[in-house]
């Protein structure tokens, strides 16, 4: 996982995106559709129509575009068709691993100490 600054927010672009777009095309979509600044240090995540590819747009002072494709699964995405959803860095990590970030199941529930 990339090390995000503490003040960086993660925005998921709802719906699907044309995965042929590169850095400039996704930056234009961030400005136009999401009404945000693509050069503000925040992470913007886009998913393709089939759901097996995501692209992350993050401007770290020089620019950065990451892409990931899942072999057998689909990335879990919100059901909204437009707008944006805020994620935590932990939820982004789960998303990139193909884990359902919306309702992760806890493996252990602490009990009273004594």
């Amino acid at each position: 996982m990339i090390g995000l600054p503490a003040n960086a927010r993660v925005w998921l672009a709802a719906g699907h995106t044309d995965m042929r777009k590169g850095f400039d095309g996704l930056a234009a979509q961030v400005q136009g559709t999401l009404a945000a600044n693509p050069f503000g240090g925040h992470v913007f995540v886009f998913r393709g129509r089939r759901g097996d590819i995501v692209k992350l747009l993050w401007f770290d002072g020089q620019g950065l575009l990451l892409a990931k494709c899942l072999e057998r699964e689909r990335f879990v995405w919100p059901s909204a068709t437009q707008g944006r959803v805020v994620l935590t860095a932990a939820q982004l990590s789960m998303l990139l691993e193909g884990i359902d970030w919306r309702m992760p199941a806890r493996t252990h529930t602490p009990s009273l100490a004594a």
Side-chain angles (χ1 to χ4, degrees):
M1 178 60 204
I2 55 177
L4 298 176
N7 62 343
R9 297 190 75 181
V10 179
W11 300 97
L12 228 63
H16 63 271
T17 301
D18 183 354
M19 287 291 108
R20 295 175 290 182
K21 292 182 179 183
F23 190 91
D24 294 332
L26 292 175
Q29 184 170 342
V30 168
Q31 285 178 322
T33 307
L34 302 178
N37 178 8
F39 307 109
H42 301 298
V43 179
F44 299 92
V45 186
F46 303 90
R47 189 182 88 155
R49 182 181 301 272
R50 289 190 322 231
D52 61 342
I53 298 174
V54 293
K55 285 189 177 181
L56 282 72
L57 180 70
W58 178 40
F59 188 75
D60 64 351
Q62 298 174 347
L64 187 59
L65 178 65
L66 304 170
K68 183 168 184 178
C69 179
L70 292 177
E71 293 291 323
R72 296 186 192 111
E73 303 166 10
R74 303 285 181 245
F75 290 100
V76 176
W77 214 248
S79 58
T81 57
Q82 59 184 353
R84 58 188 177 187
V85 176
V86 179
L87 286 162
T88 65
Q91 288 172 321
L92 176 61
S93 293
M94 287 187 274
L95 175 105
L96 293 176
E97 291 298 321
I99 299 170
D100 188 347
W101 54 270
R102 299 168 300 178
M103 286 283 214
R106 300 207 183 272
T107 57
H108 172 71
T109 303
S111 60
L112 295 176

